[in-house]
Structure formats: structure tokens, C-alpha cells
Amino acid sequence: MEKNTKMDNNEGPKRIVIKVGTNVMTNRDNRIVNTVLRKMVDQIAILYERGIMSVLVSSGSVIAGKEVLGSKVGIKDKIIRRQVFSAVGQPRMMRHYYNIFQDYGMRCAQVLATKRDFDPGKHRENMINCYEGLLSEGIIPIANEDDAVSLSMSTFTDNDELASLVAELTKADMLILLTDTDGLYNGHPDDENTERIAHVGTDEKVEHFIQESTKGEAEGRGGMKSKLNVAKEAARKNIPTYIANGNVDNMILDIVDGKEVGTKVSDD
């Protein structure tokens, strides 16, 4: 597949970062769903033909590691267990992506990082050079945290934070955070009168809606609060950010095409 580098009157994004969460790519049995990954890659391939390059920030390595090892791991320490699952799961996830991208005649590459790699200095410069080199060759970078070596001081809050840092590093025109809800709501999604919030400004106080939507339920790593904080921070750096449902067909394309879906966080 040859890359079409032409853009219509220089309008629209030329480079986007897409983060896909575990809840999007797994089923009720907590296993990776290959068809979900394929639908996402299909959209990335369409954008590629339009001359829009994507960077994919993908969860799933720990789940993929559990698929391989099951309950046979006897390690009691939770941090070490996560490291082991991630180390085993990373090549499994990349095999999924490699095979799917290959079906589209495209190439992908894995880029692992810890939080300290984004600090000013040689590591950050190396990261920039790596991303720019891959993108210039039409290769889709797939970013993830290097769980196998990350320690408490160099661990991302979640992959939403990693995605925002990658978006800033690569000078992306847009950041898309794919989750299993349609965006931010002004109440609980199951309530009859609840509506999706289409747009949030960076200084707009909407955090109380998150409490209403969860109704006191515990929020895990990478929940809506984190997504909103990350989205506002990215938007302040002139990177419009969308929180949207990755289980909806063609969601990425709809966002890029300017359709009113998900929750857009920006100052425009």
C-alpha cells in the first residue's frame, strides 16, 4: 500500500494519536477480541490512504499475558506479576497487530517507554527521532508503557497519560481516547434524561458529572476522571482531544471527519 501524502487545502489533521483501552478490545471473558483490533486497523488504513498518519497507544499486554500464562503464575507480589504478564503479553499483542497490518500491506512497530523517557534530555530526543523516523517511512508506531522495567517513579498514571505525552512529543493534531462509553454525560448513562456532553472547554468545570455518572462506584486505573484531566491538559497544548466509544463502528473516521460524536475537549 502506497501512502498518499496529499491533503485537501492543508485542512484537517495530518497526524493523530489514538489510544484504545482494555475495555474496548476485550470481551466479557477478559480476552482480546481480534475483530475489534481489525476494525480499528481498517480505519487507520483508510486514514493512511488520505495522508493522515496515526500513532496507536494500545493497552492489552497484561491481558494478553494472562491469556498465555493463565493461573499458573505463582508470584505473589502484584507488581512483579504485572511485569511478568506484560513481558509475556507484549509479543502476543504485537503479533496480533503485525498480522492485521500486514493484511493491509502496512507496517507497524513497537515503541516502549517509561515516564522518565519523556523528561527533557537525551532519552526524549531519542524518542522524538524514533517516532519521526517511523512516521516518515509510513510505519505505524504502537506505543505502550514498558511495564517490565517501570518502577513507581517512572510509571504513567495510565495509558491515557502516555497517549497525551506521545501526542505532545509527536506534535499530533488530534488525540482520540477510545473507551467503552459514548463520552462524558451530565448524569448516569442509564438515566432517561441523561445527555452526552458534546463539548468541554479546558476551564469548564464538569468534574461533578463524573461523580453522578458513576454513582459512587470505584473508578479504576484509566477511568473517566483521568480521561477528562488528560484531555484538558492536551487541549491546553492545542491538541483537541476526543473521548469516544471505541465499540462503535467507524468512530475514528467519524471524529476525523468532524461528525458530532463523543465528547470533544478544546477551547474552540
Side-chain angles (χ1 to χ4, degrees):
M1 179 181 292
E2 295 183 359
K3 180 185 173 187
N4 177 10
T5 58
K6 294 183 179 179
M7 295 291 294
D8 295 334
N9 299 321
N10 294 321
E11 293 182 358
K14 294 183 179 180
R15 184 177 291 185
I16 66 174
V17 172
I18 303 162
K19 181 262 178 176
V20 56
T22 302
N23 289 343
V24 176
M25 63 172 63
T26 56
N27 59 21
R28 291 182 179 180
D29 296 325
N30 222 19
R31 298 185 67 85
I32 305 296
V33 182
N34 194 271
T35 54
V36 173
L37 303 184
R38 184 168 292 277
K39 287 180 179 180
M40 184 171 56
V41 172
D42 181 72
Q43 295 174 81
I44 291 173
I46 291 172
L47 293 177
Y48 183 92
E49 284 295 288
R50 296 185 192 176
I52 302 173
M53 288 299 295
S54 303
V55 177
L56 181 60
V57 179
S58 176
S59 300
S61 62
V62 174
I63 296 297
K66 290 179 179 179
E67 288 181 350
V68 175
L69 299 176
S71 59
K72 297 179 182 179
V73 177
I75 302 168
K76 303 299 182 183
D77 187 286
K78 291 182 179 180
I79 295 177
I80 299 176
R81 281 176 63 88
R82 181 180 177 84
Q83 289 175 315
V84 170
F85 282 134
S86 178
V88 172
Q90 285 288 358
R92 183 176 176 87
M93 282 303 302
M94 284 307 300
R95 184 173 63 186
H96 280 303
Y97 283 122
Y98 180 87
N99 290 337
I100 297 171
F101 274 108
Q102 189 176 49
D103 288 342
Y104 286 89
M106 299 176 66
R107 298 169 295 174
C108 63
Q110 184 178 49
V111 182
L112 298 176
T114 63
K115 193 170 183 178
R116 63 188 175 192
D117 291 325
F118 290 88
D119 293 337
K122 194 64 178 177
H123 281 203
R124 182 181 178 86
E125 292 176 11
N126 288 338
M127 289 266 288
I128 292 172
N129 291 338
C130 179
Y131 275 108
E132 292 301 326
L134 291 170
L135 292 167
S136 69
E137 290 295 319
I139 301 170
I140 304 298
I142 301 177
N144 206 340
E145 181 174 8
D146 194 353
D147 289 313
V149 300
S150 290
L151 302 174
S152 58
M153 292 180 62
S154 59
T155 299
F156 301 100
T157 305
D158 47 51
N159 272 352
D160 298 321
E161 182 185 23
L162 170 59
S164 70
L165 291 172
V166 170
E168 180 185 3
L169 188 81
T170 59
K171 298 180 180 179
D173 304 301
M174 179 184 293
L175 170 61
I176 300 174
L177 304 176
L178 295 178
T179 183
D180 58 351
T181 64
D182 293 330
L184 178 63
Y185 286 84
N186 61 3
H188 194 276
D190 293 336
D191 292 344
E192 183 178 352
N193 297 322
T194 294
E195 296 180 346
R196 175 179 55 86
I197 301 174
H199 182 264
V200 174
T202 56
D203 295 325
E204 193 173 348
K205 303 299 182 183
V206 294
E207 283 72 13
H208 61 286
F209 289 130
I210 297 173
Q211 299 303 320
E212 294 176 13
S213 67
T214 57
K215 289 188 173 178
E217 295 174 1
E219 184 178 286
R221 192 173 187 241
M224 186 58 72
K225 182 178 180 181
S226 169
K227 287 175 176 56
L228 182 59
N229 290 338
V230 162
K232 284 187 172 183
E233 185 62 28
R236 292 187 184 102
K237 297 173 182 175
N238 296 317
I239 305 173
T241 302
Y242 292 80
I243 302 170
N245 195 333
N247 292 315
V248 175
D249 288 347
N250 296 319
M251 178 57 70
I252 298 170
L253 296 178
D254 285 348
I255 291 172
V256 173
D257 290 340
K259 295 183 180 180
E260 192 177 285
V261 292
T263 297
K264 179 182 181 181
V265 182
S266 70
D267 279 329
D268 56 18

